[in-house]
Amino acid sequence: GISIHVKHVVSPTKCIFQYFTRKELNHWLTTRKFCSSPIGDEVNELVNQILEFEIVRPVLCNPTKNEPALDDYFVLTNKFFGDVDILSDNQCGIVLQAIVGLPDVKTSCYDKEEHNLWVGSSGGFVVLDCRTLSVIVRIKLSSPIYKIVIVNDTVWMCSDNLLLYNKYTLSQSIIDAHESNVTHITKTKDFIITAADNLSLFVWTYDGQLVRDITLKSRCLDLLYIQSKNHLLVATEKKTIDIWDVSKFESINDDTTINQDWNDKYPLSTEASNVIKKLASNEINFIVLEINIDKHTTLVIKEDNVDIVGLESKLADHKTPCYIIYRFDISEISQYIFVSYIPKEAPTQQKLCYEQNFSTIRLDIEEILDRRFDRTLSTRSLGDLTGPSSPTNRPTSIQEAVP
């Protein structure tokens, strides 16, 4: 909901991308009734809380310790920024493509304690000071850096071997246990887990001692640790997800492996694009879209002109996942809502498919409408759209406003 500036030149070689100022954040909080005035102790305390919970991040200073200034720069915590030559925008945010002389950037890891960004490429890595956007150190290597994880004082890097650096002294240790390119790494609450091209999955203590050696059935494509359940998700080359109990290092889904094609996209059909154009020209105000997995496309299953009262009856008998587009007017101003409805009882493959394609479909629709949605909602119940607390009946909250 906040206007984001695309670029600000700090110096001939330093830029901030996708930033906003404290003044704009204060104004947004005031217009959304989270505080009574855009200046004063009340809004400053609220901004400090937002910074503390890392909803946004300062760029050039630490505003919680310094006197707040209206031109303080903030960025979203999921956006990269730095001393860069080229940045490009894809659908997942900002991707560093070329940075301070490095070839192609492959990975990065932010050190919250030191406010440094470690960036790995095909020719080594650099460490950036995020407060000044300056390069602290540049290390050239003959092998690419695939992934980086920071644990206490140690920086773990995946390369042709497993590389461990002390983040203060940059002293290096090389571990050649995998005997193959180490491509993936993740941190659990007690261990470091690494995976290599040769099907090996190794479990390490934080100080680099090998705990367990596991052989996978298929090459690992990615690792994800779920802290709340102490589970490790291993995405494999055979288009499966293996779920491991980290406390026992046992696979818990041998018979229920989740199948999903990671590269599947379901673009809008020609008919769907034409119907969305009708909504843009005010001929209709309500569309329901469904993904057809067999045909690899997204189709229109309903289109109509309904008021908010009639909306509930239109959706009453809908029991399957879908995307919903609805336009309604508040004080003669059109509001556009995009809803992803995924009921709890939907098959796992459908849930993954709709969640994975939510952003892509939304962006495609916004391109046809030539405007952004005012509100987006992901829900398990259609009552969230038609009930008294629905987005058609209340102001936008912080969660709904964040794109």
Side-chain angles (χ1 to χ4, degrees):
I2 303 176
S3 298
I4 293 182
H5 304 283
V6 177
K7 179 178 179 181
H8 175 72
V9 178
V10 180
S11 75
T13 59
K14 297 174 185 175
C15 295
I16 305 170
F17 282 76
Q18 289 205 345
Y19 76 97
F20 48 93
T21 65
R22 177 187 288 270
K23 179 179 180 180
E24 289 159 336
L25 179 58
N26 290 1
H27 176 74
W28 184 86
L29 291 169
T30 305
T31 58
R32 294 304 191 277
K33 309 298 184 184
F34 293 109
C35 57
S36 57
S37 172
I39 57 174
D41 293 339
E42 181 188 16
V43 70
N44 288 340
E45 178 60 28
L46 183 55
V47 171
N48 285 343
Q49 291 180 30
I50 292 173
L51 289 166
E52 181 181 349
F53 285 100
E54 297 184 347
I55 299 171
V56 302
R57 187 169 70 201
V59 180
L60 299 176
C61 64
N62 187 347
T64 61
K65 295 182 179 179
N66 299 316
E67 189 69 24
L70 293 178
D71 58 353
D72 285 335
Y73 297 122
F74 295 138
V75 294
L76 297 177
T77 54
N78 61 344
K79 305 294 184 185
F80 291 122
F81 62 94
D83 181 346
V84 301
D85 299 320
I86 301 173
L87 285 172
S88 71
D89 195 351
N90 74 348
Q91 293 172 1
C92 300
I94 298 298
V95 178
L96 293 95
Q97 288 187 328
I99 183 165
V100 290
L102 287 178
D104 55 317
V105 170
K106 293 185 174 295
T107 187
S108 65
C109 183
Y110 180 62
D111 183 354
K112 295 181 180 179
E113 292 182 356
E114 301 300 320
H115 300 290
N116 294 335
L117 186 69
W118 293 67
V119 183
S121 80
S122 59
F125 66 90
V126 297
V127 184
L128 302 173
D129 185 333
C130 292
R131 292 161 294 194
T132 62
L133 304 181
S134 60
V135 177
I136 299 173
V137 66
R138 180 189 294 108
I139 302 293
K140 292 185 178 181
L141 299 171
S142 58
S143 303
I145 302 297
Y146 299 110
K147 298 286 183 180
I148 300 175
V149 165
I150 300 174
V151 183
N152 300 328
D153 296 345
T154 304
V155 182
W156 295 63
M157 297 187 184
C158 296
S159 186
D160 55 352
N161 297 305
L162 193 56
L163 307 179
L164 276 61
Y165 283 89
N166 182 291
K167 70 179 183 181
Y168 299 111
T169 66
L170 290 181
S171 59
Q172 182 199 65
S173 301
I174 300 177
I175 303 176
D176 191 22
H178 278 284
E179 299 180 350
S180 181
N181 287 339
V182 187
T183 52
H184 296 91
I185 186 169
T186 192
K187 177 179 69 173
T188 75
K189 61 182 180 180
D190 297 307
F191 303 105
I192 296 292
I193 300 175
T194 57
D197 282 339
N198 61 357
L199 308 185
S200 61
L201 185 80
F202 284 6
V203 183
W204 311 84
T205 60
Y206 283 175
D207 59 359
Q209 301 299 313
L210 183 63
V211 176
R212 187 71 62 91
D213 178 356
I214 300 169
T215 301
L216 300 173
K217 297 177 182 178
S218 179
R219 187 170 69 88
C220 173
L221 296 182
D222 207 353
L223 298 173
L224 176 65
Y225 175 62
I226 308 298
Q227 184 173 357
S228 60
K229 296 182 177 294
N230 202 23
H231 286 172
L232 176 71
L233 275 59
V234 183
T236 74
E237 196 172 37
K238 290 186 177 179
K239 301 177 182 178
T240 63
I241 298 176
D242 295 333
I243 305 174
W244 293 75
D245 184 337
V246 176
S247 62
K248 302 175 183 178
F249 290 106
E250 294 178 354
S251 177
I252 61 176
N253 72 321
D254 286 339
D255 298 324
T256 57
T257 299
I258 303 170
N259 290 284
Q260 172 70 10
D261 191 333
W262 309 110
N263 296 317
D264 272 358
K265 301 296 180 185
Y266 301 88
L268 295 167
S269 66
T270 302
E271 178 199 7
S273 298
N274 291 333
V275 172
I276 294 168
K277 290 176 183 176
K278 290 170 62 178
L279 184 139
S281 61
N282 297 332
E283 297 178 48
I284 57 174
N285 71 342
F286 169 71
I287 300 174
V288 179
L289 302 165
E290 280 192 358
I291 290 176
N292 188 309
I293 294 178
D294 294 334
K295 295 182 179 180
H296 282 259
T297 190
T298 300
L299 304 172
V300 172
I301 62 166
K302 288 182 183 179
E303 58 173 294
D304 208 337
N305 225 322
V306 296
D307 57 21
I308 293 176
V309 176
L311 183 61
E312 185 170 2
S313 62
K314 284 289 181 182
L315 298 173
D317 59 346
H318 207 92
K319 307 299 182 185
T320 57
C322 64
Y323 297 124
I324 300 166
I325 312 170
Y326 185 61
R327 189 193 74 247
F328 65 101
D329 294 331
I330 296 181
S331 301
E332 299 183 354
I333 299 176
S334 293
Q335 299 283 304
Y336 287 75
I337 297 178
F338 182 60
V339 180
S340 172
Y341 168 57
I342 309 174
K344 289 182 179 180
E345 59 272 17
T348 300
Q349 185 182 15
Q350 280 192 347
K351 288 181 180 178
L352 290 172
C353 183
Y354 275 82
E355 289 169 356
Q356 178 187 354
N357 285 273
F358 176 80
S359 295
T360 303
I361 294 294
R362 187 198 72 189
L363 290 169
D364 288 345
I365 295 170
E366 288 179 338
E367 184 175 351
I368 297 172
L369 294 175
D370 195 25
R371 60 166 293 160
R372 295 184 64 180
F373 282 103
D374 296 284
R375 297 163 195 177
T376 60
L377 178 68
S378 183
T379 181
R380 304 291 190 210
S381 170
L382 288 173
D384 292 340
L385 179 62
T386 60
S389 62
S390 72
T392 58
N393 290 318
R394 62 188 174 93
T396 305
S397 67
I398 285 182
Q399 291 86 350
E400 289 170 336
V402 174

